[in-house]
Amino acid sequence: RVTVRRALDGLSRDGLITRQPGAGTFVNAARTHAPLIADLSNMLTHLKAMGDATGVRLLSFAYVTPPPAIAEALNLKPGERTQWSVRVRSLDGVPFSHLSTHVPERIGSTYTADDLSSRPLLELLERSGIVADKADQTLSATLAGPDTAAALGVEIGSPLISLTRVVKGADGRGIEHLSALYRPDMHSFHMEMLRSGDGANRHWRPSTRVAPETTSTPSSQRTPAPRSDRAGPSSARRRA
């Protein structure tokens, strides 16, 4: 009984069931919004579109001395500070991503906390004359810690998609370091691949098509999330 009660409590907290004393326990209707799908082959274009389509809550905004690993990734000068922010993005009022961003102070000083609470960071960077030219990113998986779990509305220890991205300008200087955590039930990554080359040099390469806009779809009509083996690093060559 204790095990069953705990399981029902967990389902209730997740919004999957409703418990009505004297009436019983009822399964809630499935969510009506589709998970966001990020196109890995056209990521920078997708970022601004996603920022326009989702809500944001700013948790932290400060100027700090970044950890050594982040300072190195951004090619910062000794003692150079960053504008550090923590944001939570939501879709239809449900949080799906936890974003920790470091931007060199010389760039971060061009926008305010109010700006970051209402406009996508990429838009603010381009407003200041900074143009994102390329990005290096790594996808992995992790477990939700106490703070992240509270912000995303999940249980401590829940699995999350982990993404680290370093964005650079045309001059090769770092302009943004992002550490992002996503709920896998609300966010997935997709990459369309094409066969290229001849003979022994045949390999897979990422398509450069523009990703379609994400629209809300009833859960019964959703297409299953793409397999993880389709979302590998764009530089990897997959031979037959």
Side-chain angles (χ1 to χ4, degrees), residues 1-14 17 19 155:
R1 286 188 177 184
V2 173
T3 301
V4 172
R5 186 179 301 112
R6 288 177 178 172
L8 291 175
D9 288 342
L11 292 174
S12 179
R13 285 193 301 270
D14 292 341
I17 62 172
R19 305 171 75 178
E155 293 291 322

Side-chain angles (χ1 to χ4, degrees), residues 139-219:
L139 281 172
S140 186
T142 189
L143 302 178
D147 293 341
T148 304
L152 293 179
V154 299
E155 293 291 322
I156 296 174
S158 297
L160 298 174
I161 300 171
S162 172
L163 180 147
T164 300
R165 179 188 302 128
V166 180
V167 181
K168 297 182 179 181
D171 59 359
R173 301 182 70 184
I175 61 178
E176 177 196 2
H177 183 286
L178 168 69
S179 296
L181 298 173
Y182 298 94
R183 287 177 50 167
D185 62 327
M186 296 186 64
H187 195 83
S188 63
F189 292 88
H190 170 266
M191 175 176 283
E192 182 176 88
M193 308 289 286
L194 299 176
R195 289 292 280 170
S196 180
D198 297 313
N201 292 321
R202 291 281 287 173
H203 61 273
W204 290 105
R205 65 175 179 82
S207 167
T208 56
R209 70 176 180 81
V210 176
E213 294 184 0
T214 301
T215 56
S216 296
T217 306
S219 60

Side-chain angles (χ1 to χ4, degrees), residues 17-237:
I17 62 172
T18 297
R19 305 171 75 178
Q20 299 180 4
T25 300
F26 303 91
V27 177
N28 291 331
R31 293 170 178 162
T32 58
H33 58 265
L36 286 173
I37 300 177
D39 192 334
L40 283 171
S41 61
N42 198 28
M43 179 61 72
L44 294 181
T45 299
H46 175 81
L47 287 175
K48 188 172 181 180
M50 184 172 67
D52 292 336
T54 60
V56 65
R57 181 164 62 99
L58 183 63
L59 302 183
S60 299
F61 185 96
Y63 291 93
V64 302
T65 298
I70 292 179
E72 180 179 359
L74 292 173
N75 295 319
L76 298 181
K77 298 177 181 178
E80 187 175 358
R81 299 194 306 172
T82 58
Q83 191 289 302
W84 170 66
S85 64
V86 178
R87 293 164 293 155
V88 172
R89 284 206 167 275
S90 301
L91 177 65
D92 297 336
V94 181
F96 70 91
S97 71
H98 182 278
L99 313 170
S100 177
T101 306
H102 285 266
V103 175
E105 185 175 14
R106 66 180 186 279
I107 301 172
S109 60
T110 63
Y111 56 83
T112 66
D114 288 341
D115 289 332
L116 202 55
S117 296
S118 59
R119 304 174 71 174
L121 177 57
L122 185 59
E123 180 181 330
L124 297 176
L125 295 176
E126 293 182 341
R127 184 188 69 178
S128 66
I130 301 298
V131 179
D133 181 66
K134 58 185 178 181
D136 179 54
Q137 63 183 16
T138 302
L139 281 172
S140 186
T142 189
L143 302 178
D147 293 341
T148 304
L152 293 179
V154 299
E155 293 291 322
I156 296 174
S158 297
L160 298 174
I161 300 171
S162 172
L163 180 147
T164 300
R165 179 188 302 128
V166 180
V167 181
K168 297 182 179 181
D171 59 359
R173 301 182 70 184
I175 61 178
E176 177 196 2
H177 183 286
L178 168 69
S179 296
L181 298 173
Y182 298 94
R183 287 177 50 167
D185 62 327
M186 296 186 64
H187 195 83
S188 63
F189 292 88
H190 170 266
M191 175 176 283
E192 182 176 88
M193 308 289 286
L194 299 176
R195 289 292 280 170
S196 180
D198 297 313
N201 292 321
R202 291 281 287 173
H203 61 273
W204 290 105
R205 65 175 179 82
S207 167
T208 56
R209 70 176 180 81
V210 176
E213 294 184 0
T214 301
T215 56
S216 296
T217 306
S219 60
S220 61
Q221 300 178 16
R222 294 179 190 167
T223 300
R227 290 170 56 89
S228 60
D229 59 4
R230 298 179 60 195
S234 61
S235 61
R237 293 192 171 187

